[in-house]
Amino acid sequence: MNALLKRVWFGLAATLIVSLAAVALPDHIQIEDDGRIHLGAPAPTPSPSTAAPTPESTAPPLTRDAVDEVIRTAVAAAGLDPAQGHPSVAADANSKRTGWTAVREKATAPSEMNAICADLERQGWTLNPNPQGDRPDASRSYKRGGWYLLVSTRGKTQAPSTTSDLTDSQSSLNLTGIQLNLSDIPLPEITVRIG
């Protein structure tokens, strides 16, 4: 019985680790058809017929002020007044986090989110899909210049505590930015088989 419990706990722990890694680093997760999960990006094998990869941009990372301006621009492009919402992180609180949130009508929030996402892409932000749990109608993640920006709509039950007074017909429209430099975190290649 103890051996069975150990296997169950190990399986749950492995699933939790894979789930967290899939959210934080979707580009470094590969799930095979046979149930094997590869964590970490394997070293590419050079092929004589392929050209050398293009080096990543050496542009400096974005500042929080620049990300705040990106958010204001995207919100305005969606036809909203940035002053209708409020910052979700105080301006002097943290230079690696920022955000904006507003209470919107549930019927219009998805189209407003789509307009914000379209403007982020116009501004050069890259969609950072999470293949494990992507819900393009409720949230999308973007990355650029060392920042990750999550655009989401949440109803009454999932909204942040700051908007807990939502009615059933309202939704919280959120942009949450966090500065991460995940390329500095080395990930060894690990293969896990569950089952």
Side-chain angles (χ1 to χ4, degrees), residues 69-118:
E69 183 58 32
V70 163
I71 290 172
R72 281 190 294 273
T73 301
V75 167
L80 303 172
D81 179 1
Q84 288 177 331
H86 60 86
S88 54
V89 178
D92 57 354
N94 190 332
S95 64
K96 295 182 182 275
R97 288 180 47 226
T98 190
W100 179 87
T101 186
V103 175
R104 306 298 303 154
E105 288 301 312
K106 192 182 285 187
T108 60
S111 62
E112 292 165 345
M113 185 187 90
N114 288 337
I116 288 170
C117 291

mmCIF file of all heavy atoms in Angstrom, residues 69-118:
data_model
loop_
_atom_site.group_PDB
_atom_site.id
_atom_site.type_symbol
_atom_site.label_atom_id
_atom_site.label_comp_id
_atom_site.label_asym_id
_atom_site.label_seq_id
_atom_site.Cartn_x
_atom_site.Cartn_y
_atom_site.Cartn_z
ATOM 1 N N GLU A 69 3.196 52.699 -21.174
ATOM 2 C CA GLU A 69 2.768 53.415 -22.386
ATOM 3 C C GLU A 69 2.164 52.441 -23.401
ATOM 4 O O GLU A 69 1.173 52.766 -24.066
ATOM 5 C CB GLU A 69 3.945 54.180 -22.991
ATOM 6 C CG GLU A 69 3.577 55.007 -24.204
ATOM 7 C CD GLU A 69 2.486 56.046 -23.943
ATOM 8 O OE1 GLU A 69 2.402 56.573 -22.806
ATOM 9 O OE2 GLU A 69 1.711 56.325 -24.868
ATOM 10 N N VAL A 70 2.738 51.244 -23.519
ATOM 11 C CA VAL A 70 2.182 50.213 -24.403
ATOM 12 C C VAL A 70 0.753 49.895 -23.978
ATOM 13 O O VAL A 70 -0.158 49.793 -24.817
ATOM 14 C CB VAL A 70 3.070 48.935 -24.361
ATOM 15 C CG1 VAL A 70 2.335 47.730 -24.917
ATOM 16 C CG2 VAL A 70 4.368 49.162 -25.116
ATOM 17 N N ILE A 71 0.537 49.722 -22.675
ATOM 18 C CA ILE A 71 -0.793 49.397 -22.158
ATOM 19 C C ILE A 71 -1.766 50.530 -22.465
ATOM 20 O O ILE A 71 -2.874 50.298 -22.969
ATOM 21 C CB ILE A 71 -0.733 49.098 -20.639
ATOM 22 C CG1 ILE A 71 -0.001 47.771 -20.404
ATOM 23 C CG2 ILE A 71 -2.129 49.066 -20.034
ATOM 24 C CD1 ILE A 71 0.288 47.465 -18.941
ATOM 25 N N ARG A 72 -1.367 51.786 -22.193
ATOM 26 C CA ARG A 72 -2.256 52.928 -22.471
ATOM 27 C C ARG A 72 -2.614 52.987 -23.959
ATOM 28 O O ARG A 72 -3.765 53.224 -24.326
ATOM 29 C CB ARG A 72 -1.590 54.239 -22.036
ATOM 30 C CG ARG A 72 -1.665 54.492 -20.540
ATOM 31 C CD ARG A 72 -1.222 55.905 -20.187
ATOM 32 N NE ARG A 72 0.185 56.136 -20.463
ATOM 33 C CZ ARG A 72 1.170 55.871 -19.613
ATOM 34 N NH1 ARG A 72 0.887 55.359 -18.434
ATOM 35 N NH2 ARG A 72 2.420 56.112 -19.929
ATOM 36 N N THR A 73 -1.621 52.774 -24.823
ATOM 37 C CA THR A 73 -1.852 52.824 -26.269
ATOM 38 C C THR A 73 -2.817 51.728 -26.711
ATOM 39 O O THR A 73 -3.744 51.970 -27.496
ATOM 40 C CB THR A 73 -0.511 52.692 -27.021
ATOM 41 O OG1 THR A 73 0.348 53.754 -26.618
ATOM 42 C CG2 THR A 73 -0.702 52.732 -28.523
ATOM 43 N N ALA A 74 -2.628 50.503 -26.196
ATOM 44 C CA ALA A 74 -3.489 49.384 -26.589
ATOM 45 C C ALA A 74 -4.916 49.588 -26.089
ATOM 46 O O ALA A 74 -5.881 49.294 -26.801
ATOM 47 C CB ALA A 74 -2.912 48.070 -26.059
ATOM 48 N N VAL A 75 -5.057 50.097 -24.879
ATOM 49 C CA VAL A 75 -6.386 50.356 -24.326
ATOM 50 C C VAL A 75 -7.099 51.432 -25.155
ATOM 51 O O VAL A 75 -8.274 51.295 -25.506
ATOM 52 C CB VAL A 75 -6.288 50.768 -22.837
ATOM 53 C CG1 VAL A 75 -7.599 51.339 -22.332
ATOM 54 C CG2 VAL A 75 -5.859 49.574 -21.990
ATOM 55 N N ALA A 76 -6.380 52.500 -25.502
ATOM 56 C CA ALA A 76 -6.964 53.568 -26.322
ATOM 57 C C ALA A 76 -7.329 53.046 -27.704
ATOM 58 O O ALA A 76 -8.360 53.431 -28.276
ATOM 59 C CB ALA A 76 -6.000 54.745 -26.419
ATOM 60 N N ALA A 77 -6.497 52.152 -28.268
ATOM 61 C CA ALA A 77 -6.785 51.593 -29.595
ATOM 62 C C ALA A 77 -8.053 50.745 -29.581
ATOM 63 O O ALA A 77 -8.697 50.566 -30.615
ATOM 64 C CB ALA A 77 -5.603 50.763 -30.080
ATOM 65 N N ALA A 78 -8.413 50.226 -28.408
ATOM 66 C CA ALA A 78 -9.642 49.439 -28.288
ATOM 67 C C ALA A 78 -10.865 50.325 -28.100
ATOM 68 O O ALA A 78 -11.973 49.832 -27.902
ATOM 69 C CB ALA A 78 -9.520 48.460 -27.123
ATOM 70 N N GLY A 79 -10.665 51.658 -28.151
ATOM 71 C CA GLY A 79 -11.770 52.591 -28.017
ATOM 72 C C GLY A 79 -12.119 52.907 -26.572
ATOM 73 O O GLY A 79 -13.184 53.452 -26.299
ATOM 74 N N LEU A 80 -11.220 52.569 -25.650
ATOM 75 C CA LEU A 80 -11.459 52.832 -24.235
ATOM 76 C C LEU A 80 -10.578 53.979 -23.765
ATOM 77 O O LEU A 80 -9.496 54.194 -24.296
ATOM 78 C CB LEU A 80 -11.140 51.589 -23.402
ATOM 79 C CG LEU A 80 -11.901 50.311 -23.762
ATOM 80 C CD1 LEU A 80 -11.348 49.136 -22.988
ATOM 81 C CD2 LEU A 80 -13.377 50.489 -23.474
ATOM 82 N N ASP A 81 -11.037 54.674 -22.757
ATOM 83 C CA ASP A 81 -10.241 55.719 -22.137
ATOM 84 C C ASP A 81 -9.426 55.061 -21.025
ATOM 85 O O ASP A 81 -10.013 54.482 -20.103
ATOM 86 C CB ASP A 81 -11.164 56.792 -21.566
ATOM 87 C CG ASP A 81 -10.406 57.911 -20.866
ATOM 88 O OD1 ASP A 81 -9.156 57.872 -20.828
ATOM 89 O OD2 ASP A 81 -11.071 58.827 -20.355
ATOM 90 N N PRO A 82 -8.075 55.116 -21.090
ATOM 91 C CA PRO A 82 -7.273 54.485 -20.027
ATOM 92 C C PRO A 82 -7.650 54.972 -18.632
ATOM 93 O O PRO A 82 -7.507 54.236 -17.657
ATOM 94 C CB PRO A 82 -5.844 54.866 -20.387
ATOM 95 C CG PRO A 82 -5.868 55.100 -21.860
ATOM 96 C CD PRO A 82 -7.232 55.676 -22.150
ATOM 97 N N ALA A 83 -8.184 56.187 -18.526
ATOM 98 C CA ALA A 83 -8.575 56.727 -17.226
ATOM 99 C C ALA A 83 -9.843 56.054 -16.683
ATOM 100 O O ALA A 83 -10.161 56.207 -15.509
ATOM 101 C CB ALA A 83 -8.779 58.234 -17.324
ATOM 102 N N GLN A 84 -10.564 55.294 -17.535
ATOM 103 C CA GLN A 84 -11.756 54.578 -17.066
ATOM 104 C C GLN A 84 -11.385 53.431 -16.135
ATOM 105 O O GLN A 84 -12.201 52.990 -15.345
ATOM 106 C CB GLN A 84 -12.549 54.013 -18.241
ATOM 107 C CG GLN A 84 -13.272 55.052 -19.060
ATOM 108 C CD GLN A 84 -13.980 54.409 -20.244
ATOM 109 O OE1 GLN A 84 -13.554 53.384 -20.764
ATOM 110 N NE2 GLN A 84 -15.067 55.035 -20.668
ATOM 111 N N GLY A 85 -10.153 52.936 -16.266
ATOM 112 C CA GLY A 85 -9.689 51.868 -15.397
ATOM 113 C C GLY A 85 -8.718 52.429 -14.383
ATOM 114 O O GLY A 85 -8.639 53.635 -14.178
ATOM 115 N N HIS A 86 -7.973 51.551 -13.760
ATOM 116 C CA HIS A 86 -6.975 52.013 -12.797
ATOM 117 C C HIS A 86 -5.783 51.064 -12.808
ATOM 118 O O HIS A 86 -5.912 49.885 -13.155
ATOM 119 C CB HIS A 86 -7.576 52.140 -11.394
ATOM 120 C CG HIS A 86 -8.123 50.846 -10.860
ATOM 121 N ND1 HIS A 86 -7.349 49.923 -10.204
ATOM 122 C CD2 HIS A 86 -9.378 50.331 -10.901
ATOM 123 C CE1 HIS A 86 -8.094 48.897 -9.854
ATOM 124 N NE2 HIS A 86 -9.326 49.116 -10.276
ATOM 125 N N PRO A 87 -4.609 51.571 -12.445
ATOM 126 C CA PRO A 87 -3.431 50.702 -12.399
ATOM 127 C C PRO A 87 -3.636 49.607 -11.364
ATOM 128 O O PRO A 87 -4.224 49.839 -10.308
ATOM 129 C CB PRO A 87 -2.294 51.634 -11.978
ATOM 130 C CG PRO A 87 -2.798 53.014 -12.181
ATOM 131 C CD PRO A 87 -4.289 52.942 -12.079
ATOM 132 N N SER A 88 -3.158 48.400 -11.665
ATOM 133 C CA SER A 88 -3.272 47.311 -10.704
ATOM 134 C C SER A 88 -2.035 47.211 -9.818
ATOM 135 O O SER A 88 -2.018 46.448 -8.866
ATOM 136 C CB SER A 88 -3.526 45.984 -11.423
ATOM 137 O OG SER A 88 -2.540 45.752 -12.394
ATOM 138 N N VAL A 89 -0.980 47.983 -10.144
ATOM 139 C CA VAL A 89 0.232 48.059 -9.321
ATOM 140 C C VAL A 89 0.580 49.536 -9.198
ATOM 141 O O VAL A 89 0.626 50.251 -10.196
ATOM 142 C CB VAL A 89 1.411 47.293 -9.974
ATOM 143 C CG1 VAL A 89 2.672 47.416 -9.138
ATOM 144 C CG2 VAL A 89 1.056 45.823 -10.183
ATOM 145 N N ALA A 90 0.821 50.000 -7.984
ATOM 146 C CA ALA A 90 1.170 51.410 -7.782
ATOM 147 C C ALA A 90 2.446 51.757 -8.544
ATOM 148 O O ALA A 90 3.347 50.928 -8.677
ATOM 149 C CB ALA A 90 1.354 51.702 -6.290
ATOM 150 N N ALA A 91 2.517 52.987 -9.049
ATOM 151 C CA ALA A 91 3.626 53.412 -9.906
ATOM 152 C C ALA A 91 4.987 53.265 -9.239
ATOM 153 O O ALA A 91 5.972 52.930 -9.897
ATOM 154 C CB ALA A 91 3.417 54.858 -10.339
ATOM 155 N N ASP A 92 5.063 53.485 -7.937
ATOM 156 C CA ASP A 92 6.366 53.403 -7.269
ATOM 157 C C ASP A 92 6.565 52.093 -6.515
ATOM 158 O O ASP A 92 7.550 51.919 -5.812
ATOM 159 C CB ASP A 92 6.530 54.574 -6.294
ATOM 160 C CG ASP A 92 5.412 54.624 -5.263
ATOM 161 O OD1 ASP A 92 4.453 53.825 -5.383
ATOM 162 O OD2 ASP A 92 5.501 55.460 -4.342
ATOM 163 N N ALA A 93 5.640 51.151 -6.660
ATOM 164 C CA ALA A 93 5.677 49.932 -5.861
ATOM 165 C C ALA A 93 6.704 48.915 -6.362
ATOM 166 O O ALA A 93 7.424 48.325 -5.579
ATOM 167 C CB ALA A 93 4.306 49.283 -5.822
ATOM 168 N N ASN A 94 6.774 48.699 -7.663
ATOM 169 C CA ASN A 94 7.607 47.625 -8.185
ATOM 170 C C ASN A 94 7.948 47.922 -9.633
ATOM 171 O O ASN A 94 7.050 48.071 -10.453
ATOM 172 C CB ASN A 94 6.850 46.291 -8.068
ATOM 173 C CG ASN A 94 7.721 45.096 -8.368
ATOM 174 O OD1 ASN A 94 8.684 45.188 -9.116
ATOM 175 N ND2 ASN A 94 7.383 43.975 -7.778
ATOM 176 N N SER A 95 9.221 47.973 -9.941
ATOM 177 C CA SER A 95 9.625 48.304 -11.313
ATOM 178 C C SER A 95 9.532 47.101 -12.248
ATOM 179 O O SER A 95 9.709 47.239 -13.448
ATOM 180 C CB SER A 95 11.051 48.845 -11.322
ATOM 181 O OG SER A 95 11.946 47.839 -10.890
ATOM 182 N N LYS A 96 9.232 45.905 -11.731
ATOM 183 C CA LYS A 96 9.150 44.702 -12.562
ATOM 184 C C LYS A 96 7.716 44.207 -12.742
ATOM 185 O O LYS A 96 7.490 43.141 -13.297
ATOM 186 C CB LYS A 96 10.006 43.589 -11.965
ATOM 187 C CG LYS A 96 11.490 43.922 -11.983
ATOM 188 C CD LYS A 96 12.311 42.776 -11.442
ATOM 189 C CE LYS A 96 13.771 43.115 -11.402
ATOM 190 N NZ LYS A 96 14.464 42.880 -12.618
ATOM 191 N N ARG A 97 6.747 44.973 -12.253
ATOM 192 C CA ARG A 97 5.340 44.611 -12.402
ATOM 193 C C ARG A 97 4.532 45.846 -12.731
ATOM 194 O O ARG A 97 4.824 46.937 -12.257
ATOM 195 C CB ARG A 97 4.803 43.996 -11.103
ATOM 196 C CG ARG A 97 5.328 42.622 -10.820
ATOM 197 C CD ARG A 97 4.772 42.028 -9.524
ATOM 198 N NE ARG A 97 3.335 42.192 -9.419
ATOM 199 C CZ ARG A 97 2.715 42.616 -8.316
ATOM 200 N NH1 ARG A 97 3.393 42.944 -7.249
ATOM 201 N NH2 ARG A 97 1.407 42.732 -8.292
ATOM 202 N N THR A 98 3.505 45.652 -13.536
ATOM 203 C CA THR A 98 2.589 46.743 -13.843
ATOM 204 C C THR A 98 1.262 46.141 -14.278
ATOM 205 O O THR A 98 1.148 44.918 -14.441
ATOM 206 C CB THR A 98 3.157 47.678 -14.929
ATOM 207 O OG1 THR A 98 2.336 48.837 -15.011
ATOM 208 C CG2 THR A 98 3.258 46.994 -16.284
ATOM 209 N N GLY A 99 0.290 46.976 -14.484
ATOM 210 C CA GLY A 99 -0.991 46.453 -14.942
ATOM 211 C C GLY A 99 -2.061 47.522 -14.970
ATOM 212 O O GLY A 99 -1.870 48.646 -14.496
ATOM 213 N N TRP A 100 -3.182 47.153 -15.549
ATOM 214 C CA TRP A 100 -4.334 48.038 -15.684
ATOM 215 C C TRP A 100 -5.575 47.165 -15.624
ATOM 216 O O TRP A 100 -5.585 46.051 -16.160
ATOM 217 C CB TRP A 100 -4.258 48.773 -17.018
ATOM 218 C CG TRP A 100 -5.388 49.706 -17.313
ATOM 219 C CD1 TRP A 100 -5.492 51.019 -16.943
ATOM 220 C CD2 TRP A 100 -6.582 49.412 -18.040
ATOM 221 N NE1 TRP A 100 -6.663 51.552 -17.404
ATOM 222 C CE2 TRP A 100 -7.354 50.586 -18.078
ATOM 223 C CE3 TRP A 100 -7.078 48.266 -18.648
ATOM 224 C CZ2 TRP A 100 -8.595 50.653 -18.711
ATOM 225 C CZ3 TRP A 100 -8.306 48.327 -19.284
ATOM 226 C CH2 TRP A 100 -9.050 49.518 -19.311
ATOM 227 N N THR A 101 -6.594 47.638 -14.965
ATOM 228 C CA THR A 101 -7.838 46.873 -14.877
ATOM 229 C C THR A 101 -9.030 47.820 -14.943
ATOM 230 O O THR A 101 -8.938 48.965 -14.503
ATOM 231 C CB THR A 101 -7.869 46.011 -13.587
ATOM 232 O OG1 THR A 101 -9.021 45.182 -13.607
ATOM 233 C CG2 THR A 101 -7.858 46.858 -12.340
ATOM 234 N N ALA A 102 -10.121 47.325 -15.506
ATOM 235 C CA ALA A 102 -11.344 48.125 -15.599
ATOM 236 C C ALA A 102 -12.552 47.197 -15.546
ATOM 237 O O ALA A 102 -12.486 46.043 -15.968
ATOM 238 C CB ALA A 102 -11.367 48.926 -16.896
ATOM 239 N N VAL A 103 -13.648 47.705 -15.035
ATOM 240 C CA VAL A 103 -14.903 46.968 -15.030
ATOM 241 C C VAL A 103 -15.621 47.274 -16.339
ATOM 242 O O VAL A 103 -15.824 48.440 -16.685
ATOM 243 C CB VAL A 103 -15.777 47.376 -13.816
ATOM 244 C CG1 VAL A 103 -17.144 46.703 -13.883
ATOM 245 C CG2 VAL A 103 -15.057 47.022 -12.520
ATOM 246 N N ARG A 104 -15.977 46.239 -17.061
ATOM 247 C CA ARG A 104 -16.633 46.383 -18.360
ATOM 248 C C ARG A 104 -17.884 45.514 -18.396
ATOM 249 O O ARG A 104 -18.043 44.613 -17.570
ATOM 250 C CB ARG A 104 -15.683 45.951 -19.504
ATOM 251 C CG ARG A 104 -14.335 46.640 -19.497
ATOM 252 C CD ARG A 104 -14.412 48.132 -19.673
ATOM 253 N NE ARG A 104 -15.118 48.463 -20.912
ATOM 254 C CZ ARG A 104 -15.758 49.591 -21.102
ATOM 255 N NH1 ARG A 104 -15.802 50.510 -20.177
ATOM 256 N NH2 ARG A 104 -16.368 49.816 -22.246
ATOM 257 N N GLU A 105 -18.736 45.759 -19.370
ATOM 258 C CA GLU A 105 -19.903 44.903 -19.553
ATOM 259 C C GLU A 105 -19.443 43.560 -20.124
ATOM 260 O O GLU A 105 -18.603 43.512 -21.019
ATOM 261 C CB GLU A 105 -20.922 45.560 -20.491
ATOM 262 C CG GLU A 105 -21.655 46.733 -19.867
ATOM 263 C CD GLU A 105 -22.419 46.333 -18.609
ATOM 264 O OE1 GLU A 105 -23.151 45.314 -18.628
ATOM 265 O OE2 GLU A 105 -22.282 47.039 -17.585
ATOM 266 N N LYS A 106 -19.982 42.472 -19.602
ATOM 267 C CA LYS A 106 -19.571 41.134 -20.014
ATOM 268 C C LYS A 106 -19.764 40.916 -21.514
ATOM 269 O O LYS A 106 -18.980 40.240 -22.165
ATOM 270 C CB LYS A 106 -20.371 40.089 -19.225
ATOM 271 C CG LYS A 106 -19.844 38.680 -19.362
ATOM 272 C CD LYS A 106 -20.700 37.687 -18.590
ATOM 273 C CE LYS A 106 -20.423 37.796 -17.120
ATOM 274 N NZ LYS A 106 -21.114 36.744 -16.329
ATOM 275 N N ALA A 107 -20.795 41.556 -22.083
ATOM 276 C CA ALA A 107 -21.085 41.372 -23.511
ATOM 277 C C ALA A 107 -20.024 42.014 -24.405
ATOM 278 O O ALA A 107 -19.756 41.528 -25.504
ATOM 279 C CB ALA A 107 -22.459 41.949 -23.836
ATOM 280 N N THR A 108 -19.409 43.110 -23.956
ATOM 281 C CA THR A 108 -18.435 43.808 -24.804
ATOM 282 C C THR A 108 -16.977 43.513 -24.446
ATOM 283 O O THR A 108 -16.083 43.785 -25.238
ATOM 284 C CB THR A 108 -18.650 45.331 -24.723
ATOM 285 O OG1 THR A 108 -18.484 45.754 -23.366
ATOM 286 C CG2 THR A 108 -20.028 45.716 -25.232
ATOM 287 N N ALA A 109 -16.722 42.955 -23.264
ATOM 288 C CA ALA A 109 -15.340 42.731 -22.815
ATOM 289 C C ALA A 109 -14.525 41.847 -23.767
ATOM 290 O O ALA A 109 -13.365 42.164 -24.048
ATOM 291 C CB ALA A 109 -15.322 42.157 -21.402
ATOM 292 N N PRO A 110 -15.077 40.748 -24.320
ATOM 293 C CA PRO A 110 -14.270 39.931 -25.232
ATOM 294 C C PRO A 110 -13.822 40.684 -26.485
ATOM 295 O O PRO A 110 -12.676 40.558 -26.922
ATOM 296 C CB PRO A 110 -15.185 38.761 -25.588
ATOM 297 C CG PRO A 110 -16.125 38.660 -24.434
ATOM 298 C CD PRO A 110 -16.346 40.076 -23.994
ATOM 299 N N SER A 111 -14.704 41.506 -27.065
ATOM 300 C CA SER A 111 -14.303 42.244 -28.266
ATOM 301 C C SER A 111 -13.286 43.325 -27.913
ATOM 302 O O SER A 111 -12.380 43.615 -28.695
ATOM 303 C CB SER A 111 -15.518 42.840 -28.980
ATOM 304 O OG SER A 111 -16.169 43.771 -28.147
ATOM 305 N N GLU A 112 -13.413 43.928 -26.727
ATOM 306 C CA GLU A 112 -12.424 44.912 -26.285
ATOM 307 C C GLU A 112 -11.072 44.234 -26.046
ATOM 308 O O GLU A 112 -10.028 44.776 -26.404
ATOM 309 C CB GLU A 112 -12.924 45.608 -25.013
ATOM 310 C CG GLU A 112 -14.131 46.490 -25.278
ATOM 311 C CD GLU A 112 -14.871 46.911 -24.021
ATOM 312 O OE1 GLU A 112 -14.653 46.309 -22.943
ATOM 313 O OE2 GLU A 112 -15.688 47.844 -24.122
ATOM 314 N N MET A 113 -11.104 43.015 -25.468
ATOM 315 C CA MET A 113 -9.867 42.268 -25.276
ATOM 316 C C MET A 113 -9.210 41.951 -26.625
ATOM 317 O O MET A 113 -7.999 42.098 -26.792
ATOM 318 C CB MET A 113 -10.133 40.968 -24.509
ATOM 319 C CG MET A 113 -8.856 40.205 -24.160
ATOM 320 S SD MET A 113 -9.169 38.589 -23.432
ATOM 321 C CE MET A 113 -9.215 37.591 -24.913
ATOM 322 N N ASN A 114 -10.026 41.549 -27.606
ATOM 323 C CA ASN A 114 -9.491 41.257 -28.939
ATOM 324 C C ASN A 114 -8.845 42.488 -29.567
ATOM 325 O O ASN A 114 -7.796 42.391 -30.206
ATOM 326 C CB ASN A 114 -10.594 40.717 -29.860
ATOM 327 C CG ASN A 114 -11.012 39.312 -29.488
ATOM 328 O OD1 ASN A 114 -10.259 38.572 -28.863
ATOM 329 N ND2 ASN A 114 -12.222 38.944 -29.855
ATOM 330 N N ALA A 115 -9.467 43.655 -29.395
ATOM 331 C CA ALA A 115 -8.906 44.891 -29.948
ATOM 332 C C ALA A 115 -7.591 45.247 -29.264
ATOM 333 O O ALA A 115 -6.634 45.691 -29.912
ATOM 334 C CB ALA A 115 -9.911 46.030 -29.815
ATOM 335 N N ILE A 116 -7.519 45.043 -27.952
ATOM 336 C CA ILE A 116 -6.272 45.300 -27.222
ATOM 337 C C ILE A 116 -5.175 44.365 -27.722
ATOM 338 O O ILE A 116 -4.049 44.791 -27.987
ATOM 339 C CB ILE A 116 -6.495 45.144 -25.699
ATOM 340 C CG1 ILE A 116 -7.329 46.315 -25.174
ATOM 341 C CG2 ILE A 116 -5.170 45.039 -24.953
ATOM 342 C CD1 ILE A 116 -7.811 46.145 -23.736
ATOM 343 N N CYS A 117 -5.508 43.085 -27.876
ATOM 344 C CA CYS A 117 -4.529 42.103 -28.354
ATOM 345 C C CYS A 117 -4.042 42.448 -29.766
ATOM 346 O O CYS A 117 -2.852 42.329 -30.064
ATOM 347 C CB CYS A 117 -5.120 40.694 -28.317
ATOM 348 S SG CYS A 117 -5.393 40.076 -26.636
ATOM 349 N N ALA A 118 -4.958 42.874 -30.624
ATOM 350 C CA ALA A 118 -4.574 43.247 -31.989
ATOM 351 C C ALA A 118 -3.590 44.410 -31.968
ATOM 352 O O ALA A 118 -2.615 44.437 -32.734
ATOM 353 C CB ALA A 118 -5.811 43.601 -32.808
#
